[in-house]
């Protein structure tokens, strides 16, 4: 059978470097340089951290929902942090809040989401043998893993883990003597995050280099799947913004350990004046939020890219507004760097400067609305297949819109000053950033599980998992808007501390029960995931009848992805339900010369370009041969 008959242009590539000898267990599964193995390492580590982080939130929700409850049954786990009356220690409550935020934002939604799918999909979807540097890729995971071990070990310190909030504002976190949670736990937090940032920078350099330099024949930028556009822009965001957080953490280490005064000035502790002068804690906020706001999109853009691919595939329709979706990704990325001070409206900044940041913040709603509109239009009148991945993708769109609307409210400086640090903010960012990105993670796992492990996850369990999680998320976070509007601050130990908040006792008990049930629902996913790895139904070559390149690789691709020949690309990735086509999908590897019955007039002109792709193939062979 000829290459044209199969729809795959045979590209002769000298891939001697990928003809590996038999590797031992450690090189194949532990210190692997195969991007697919590294992606699985990120995924499983991220899942473990997710359950730890959510379990922490359940513990402090028990305190908020039932302030007088006896949780002495948790003493075997929490030890000294449960007092003799069976109540949670207030210092450890703050530590749980701090660690929950850190774990979920960085270790789960940044490393677990972006680290997994950027690693797994970039080489497969652009037609590359592996990442540009397998060694740096391996290092990126092990820096992350080392950071994880250090962060986890802080839980076992006598003084406990860091408890100054995941944003680690000075002066509290710059002075070890300021609180119990600013001692050894804070030091380990800073070391862990420094290693984590190195991990992200190594990964980001690899992702960008791979996308730019290692695309297969015919894979121009206007033929890239939206997943790859999202991963590329996310990597650029991280490469620019993470070094700023690294510098902020480094200066904080200097203030804590070496007596400098970058963030400290005129500090008194127990009536004793410290010698620090000349520093500014507001400087830290500027440095932190210069990363902190792009970080929102570092966790959200990969989820949006995954959603774009899954919605188009399962709606059996071309993605609406492909170029507009790319432009909106770029617009969101650019604007994310110039709106950081909307987190700082209450710091006493000049009102005119506040109005500038407010204006820029509200503008970011425009590219976000473009994405929401294009998702909705893609779904409109589509022949929708409700797989678990599709359900989670639609759920993400719902959360993105719901949380985005409250973001417009908080972007207004006059309103934000009233709502700042209340549960309204907690509800907003958990819906638009936390839950939406987690839904993207779930959607990606359900969709690409067959390519990762060669087996199918249980569809019925996946749908049950979705509905329990979707309803649970709204039951947990929607009521928090009301407590926030009423003025209850976040990070407080008890809703019964003040008379005006006692009326929310029943509502908080309801939120806590909903949080526990939502957490229990995640065990359905955990069982489905690990059981399916070993006992799931064997996956076919292309279970979702998708167009993108990864589904042309073997069901169990080895290190190198394709055996011998890398397929070339002739078209964009969203030719679904095309009039005149015999089937409702046309893979990217099918030349236009093979589909005359469904070609549009301008696509017939692309047939002449196929010879140029063949010539490019020859040039690539020549370069590899020499």
């Amino acid at each position: 059978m000829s290459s044209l008959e199969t729809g795959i242009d045979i590209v002769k590539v000298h891939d001697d470097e990928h003809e590996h000898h038999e590797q031992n267990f450690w090189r194949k599964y532990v210190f692997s340089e195969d991007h697919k193995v590294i992606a699985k390492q990120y995924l499983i580590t991220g899942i473990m951290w997710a359950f730890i982080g959510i379990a922490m939130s359940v513990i402090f929700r028990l305190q908020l929902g039932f302030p007088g409850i006896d949780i002495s049954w948790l003493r075997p786990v929490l030890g000294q942090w449960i007092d003799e009356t069976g109540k949670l220690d207030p210092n450890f409550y703050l530590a749980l809040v701090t660690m929950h935020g850190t774990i979920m934002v960085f270790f789960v939604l940044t490393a677990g989401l972006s680290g997994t799918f950027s690693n797994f999909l970039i080489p497969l979807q652009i037609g590359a043998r592996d990442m540009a540097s397998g060694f740096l890729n391996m290092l990126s995971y092990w820096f992350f893993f080392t950071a994880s071990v250090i962060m986890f070990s802080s839980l076992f310190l006598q003084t406990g883990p860091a408890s100054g909030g995941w944003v680690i504002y000075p002066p509290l976190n710059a002075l070890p003597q300021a609180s119990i949670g600013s001692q050894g736990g804070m030091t380990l937090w800073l070391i862990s995050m420094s290693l984590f940032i190195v991990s992200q920078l190594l990964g980001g350099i690899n992702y960008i280099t791979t996308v730019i330099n290692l695309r297969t024949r015919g894979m121009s930028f206007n033929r890239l799947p939206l997943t790859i556009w999202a991963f590329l822009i996310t990597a650029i965001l991280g490469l620019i913004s993470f070094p700023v957080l690294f510098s902020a953490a480094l200066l904080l280490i200097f203030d804590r350990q070496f007596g400098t005064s970058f963030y400290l000035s005129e500090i008194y502790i127990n009536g004793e004046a410290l010698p620090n002068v000349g520093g500014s804690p507001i400087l830290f906020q500027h440095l932190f939020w210069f990363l902190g706001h792009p970080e929102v999109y570092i966790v959200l853009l990969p989820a949006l890219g995954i959603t774009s691919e899954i919605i188009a595939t399962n709606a059996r329709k071309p993605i609406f507004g492909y170029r507009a979706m790319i432009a909106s990704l770029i617009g969101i990325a650019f604007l994310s760097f110039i709106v950081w001070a909307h987190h700082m409206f209450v710091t006493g900044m000049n009102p005119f400067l506040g109005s500038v940041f407010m204006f820029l913040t509200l503008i970011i709603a425009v590219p976000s609305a473009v994405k929401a509109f294009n998702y909705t239009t893609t779904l409109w009148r589509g022949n929708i297949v409700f797989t678990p991945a599709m359900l989670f993708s639609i759920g993400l769109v719902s959360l993105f819109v719901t949380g985005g609307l409250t973001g417009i409210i908080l972007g207004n400086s006059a309103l934000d000053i009233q709502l700042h640090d209340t549960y309204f903010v907690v509800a907003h960012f958990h819906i638009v950033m936390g839950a939406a990105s987690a839904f993207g993670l779930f959607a990606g796992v359900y969709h690409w599980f067959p390519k990762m492990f060669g087996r199918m996850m249980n569809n019925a369990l996946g749908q049950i998992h979705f509905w329990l999680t979707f309803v649970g998320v709204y039951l947990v976070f929607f009521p928090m808007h009301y407590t926030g509007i009423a003025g209850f601050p976040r990070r407080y130990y008890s809703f019964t501390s003040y008379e005006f908040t006692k009326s929310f006792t029943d509502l908080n008990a309801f939120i806590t029960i909903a949080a526990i049930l939502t957490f229990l629902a995640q065990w359905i996913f955990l069982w489905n995931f690990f059981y399916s790895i070993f006992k799931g139904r064997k996956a076919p070559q292309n279970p979702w009848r998708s167009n993108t390149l990864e589904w042309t690789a073997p069901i169990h691709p080895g290190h190198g992805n394709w055996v011998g020949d890398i397929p070339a690309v002739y078209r964009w990735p969203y030719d679904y339900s095309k009039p005149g086509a015999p089937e409702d999908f046309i893979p990217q590897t099918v030349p236009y010369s093979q589909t005359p019955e469904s070609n549009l007039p301008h696509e017939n002109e692309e047939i002449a370009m196929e010879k140029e792709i063949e010539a490019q193939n020859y040039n690539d062979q020549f370069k590899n041969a020499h």
Side-chain angles (χ1 to χ4, degrees):
M1 184 176 289
S2 71
S3 62
L4 289 179
E5 287 173 333
T6 59
I8 299 178
D9 185 34
I10 301 302
V11 181
K12 299 299 181 185
V13 177
H14 291 258
D15 57 345
D16 296 340
E17 60 180 315
H18 295 285
E19 294 177 1
H20 298 284
H21 56 80
E22 190 65 29
Q23 295 178 323
N24 61 38
F25 173 84
W26 293 97
R27 287 291 292 156
K28 190 172 183 179
Y29 296 108
V30 182
F31 299 107
S32 174
E33 295 184 16
D34 186 347
H35 70 99
K36 299 179 293 299
V37 175
I38 294 171
K40 294 173 188 177
Q41 290 174 327
Y42 268 109
L43 177 60
I44 293 174
T45 307
I47 289 174
M48 292 171 58
W49 270 120
F51 275 81
I52 293 172
I54 298 173
M56 289 178 173
S57 70
V58 169
I59 294 172
F60 66 69
R61 277 305 326 174
L62 283 172
Q63 165 59 35
L64 288 171
F66 309 98
I69 191 172
D70 182 351
I71 55 172
S72 55
W73 52 276
L74 280 173
R75 189 172 285 117
V77 178
L78 301 182
Q80 63 175 332
W81 304 112
I82 304 295
D83 65 23
E84 61 279 359
T85 63
K87 292 184 174 57
L88 185 68
D89 182 89
N91 289 311
F92 195 68
Y93 168 85
L94 295 173
L96 288 174
V97 174
T98 300
M99 295 297 287
H100 166 76
T102 302
I103 289 167
M104 298 305 294
V105 171
F106 295 113
F107 291 176
V108 178
L109 298 178
T110 301
L113 175 56
S114 184
T116 296
F117 291 104
S118 294
N119 265 298
F120 189 78
L121 291 178
I122 286 177
L124 284 169
Q125 288 197 334
I126 69 171
R129 295 291 182 186
D130 205 325
M131 285 291 179
S133 173
F135 179 71
L136 285 184
N137 207 21
M138 177 189 71
L139 280 184
S140 72
Y141 171 74
W142 284 104
F143 269 104
F144 165 56
F145 183 81
T146 305
S148 299
V149 171
I150 293 173
M151 187 69 74
F152 188 70
S153 66
S154 71
L155 295 170
F156 301 97
L157 294 179
Q158 183 70 24
T159 54
S163 65
W166 76 277
V167 293
I168 59 167
Y169 282 173
L172 175 63
N173 293 298
L175 298 168
Q177 66 270 41
S179 71
I180 188 174
S182 188
Q183 297 179 24
M186 190 68 241
T187 300
L188 291 181
W189 192 101
L190 289 167
I191 295 171
S192 172
M193 285 305 303
S194 298
L195 294 173
F196 176 83
I197 291 168
V198 173
S199 162
Q200 295 306 297
L201 294 178
L202 291 175
I205 292 170
N206 233 347
Y207 306 152
I208 295 168
T209 305
T210 303
V211 172
I212 292 175
N213 292 324
L214 299 185
R215 287 168 287 124
T216 189
R217 293 77 189 153
M219 182 63 84
S220 58
F221 275 94
N222 61 4
R223 289 174 180 166
L224 287 176
L226 289 172
T227 43
I228 303 302
W229 274 106
F231 299 151
L232 174 63
I233 293 170
T234 299
I236 294 171
L237 281 176
L239 208 59
I240 297 172
S241 59
F242 268 116
V244 179
L245 179 62
F246 185 83
S247 66
L250 188 63
L251 297 183
L252 189 55
I253 291 173
F254 271 66
D255 275 9
R256 288 173 54 86
Q257 306 296 335
F258 303 111
T260 58
S261 298
F262 292 106
Y263 306 127
L264 299 173
S265 182
E266 301 172 353
I267 301 293
Y268 290 80
I269 294 183
N270 296 325
E272 177 188 353
L274 300 185
N276 306 87
V277 292
S280 171
I282 303 301
L283 169 63
F284 180 88
Q285 293 194 33
H286 282 290
L287 295 174
F288 181 90
W289 288 115
F290 191 81
L291 168 277
H293 197 76
E295 173 66 15
V296 172
Y297 298 102
I298 287 171
V299 305
L300 192 55
L301 290 186
L304 294 174
I306 288 168
T307 295
S308 301
E309 175 67 25
I310 293 172
I311 284 180
T313 300
N314 290 285
R316 313 310 295 170
K317 282 181 62 180
I319 194 76
F320 185 86
Y322 173 79
R323 287 183 175 83
M325 294 286 267
I326 296 171
S328 67
L329 287 171
I330 295 172
I332 288 171
F334 173 74
L335 290 170
S336 72
F337 280 109
I338 54 177
V339 297
W340 77 88
H342 69 213
H343 297 274
M344 301 169 56
F345 286 143
V346 298
T347 59
M349 69 168 59
N350 186 295
F352 174 75
L353 185 61
S355 68
V356 172
F357 279 103
M358 180 183 74
F359 175 72
L360 295 171
T361 300
L362 297 180
I363 286 178
I364 209 168
V366 176
S368 300
V370 168
K371 299 197 74 63
F373 172 80
N374 286 8
Y375 288 139
T376 306
T377 311
T378 303
L379 290 167
W380 177 252
R381 302 187 72 177
N383 187 20
I384 300 175
V385 182
F386 288 105
T387 64
M390 184 62 160
L391 290 172
F392 274 103
S393 296
I394 296 172
L396 183 151
V397 176
S398 169
L399 294 167
F400 185 61
V401 172
T402 305
L405 290 174
T406 56
I408 295 174
I409 295 172
L410 291 171
N412 186 309
S413 58
L415 295 174
D416 181 76
I417 289 171
Q418 302 302 315
L419 296 171
H420 186 81
D421 255 352
T422 68
Y423 270 81
F424 191 94
V425 178
V426 175
H428 159 69
F429 74 74
H430 273 85
I431 289 177
V432 76
M433 175 187 171
S437 300
F439 271 44
L441 175 61
F442 286 133
V445 171
Y446 281 110
H447 189 75
W448 281 287
F449 188 90
K451 181 54 62 179
M452 285 184 175
F453 300 102
R455 295 182 180 271
M456 306 293 291
M457 294 183 73
N458 185 285
N459 188 69
L461 288 178
Q463 295 196 354
I464 294 170
H465 172 226
F466 165 75
W467 285 111
L468 290 176
T469 305
F470 181 73
V471 174
V473 163
Y474 272 112
L475 290 180
V476 170
F477 296 113
F478 205 80
M480 290 184 186
H481 292 92
Y482 295 98
T483 59
I485 290 172
F488 191 83
R490 59 197 286 204
R491 303 192 185 97
Y492 273 40
Y493 180 69
S494 173
F495 270 80
T496 57
S497 301
Y498 301 99
E499 197 65 37
F500 81 97
T501 60
K502 288 182 179 178
S503 59
F504 293 107
T505 302
D506 291 341
L507 184 58
N508 267 284
F510 173 82
I511 294 172
T512 297
I513 293 170
I516 294 171
L517 294 177
T518 306
F519 173 60
L520 293 176
Q522 306 319 303
W523 290 90
I524 299 173
F525 167 79
L526 196 69
W527 165 261
N528 196 0
F529 180 84
F530 284 105
Y531 180 84
S532 298
I533 289 175
F534 303 102
K535 299 292 185 179
R537 177 170 57 89
K538 290 185 177 180
Q541 177 73 25
N542 188 357
W544 317 121
R545 294 162 62 85
S546 183
N547 291 341
T548 44
L549 208 55
E550 72 271 25
W551 303 107
T552 65
I555 295 175
H556 294 283
H559 192 182
N561 297 331
W562 288 270
V563 179
D565 307 317
I566 297 180
V569 167
Y570 297 94
R571 60 179 72 225
W572 78 321
Y574 300 111
D575 271 338
Y576 293 105
S577 300
K578 204 170 183 184
E583 295 191 72
D584 67 349
F585 74 112
I586 306 176
Q588 286 188 280
T589 54
V590 177
Y592 286 110
S593 59
Q594 290 189 9
T595 59
E597 68 282 352
S598 63
N599 289 347
L600 299 174
H602 73 277
E603 292 173 340
N604 285 320
E605 300 172 4
E606 298 284 338
I607 295 176
M609 301 293 292
E610 294 172 13
K611 294 182 179 180
E612 293 188 15
I613 294 176
E614 293 172 4
Q616 182 184 1
N617 295 342
Y618 175 80
N619 291 335
D620 284 348
Q621 292 174 41
F622 182 84
K623 286 187 294 185
N624 277 278
H626 292 75

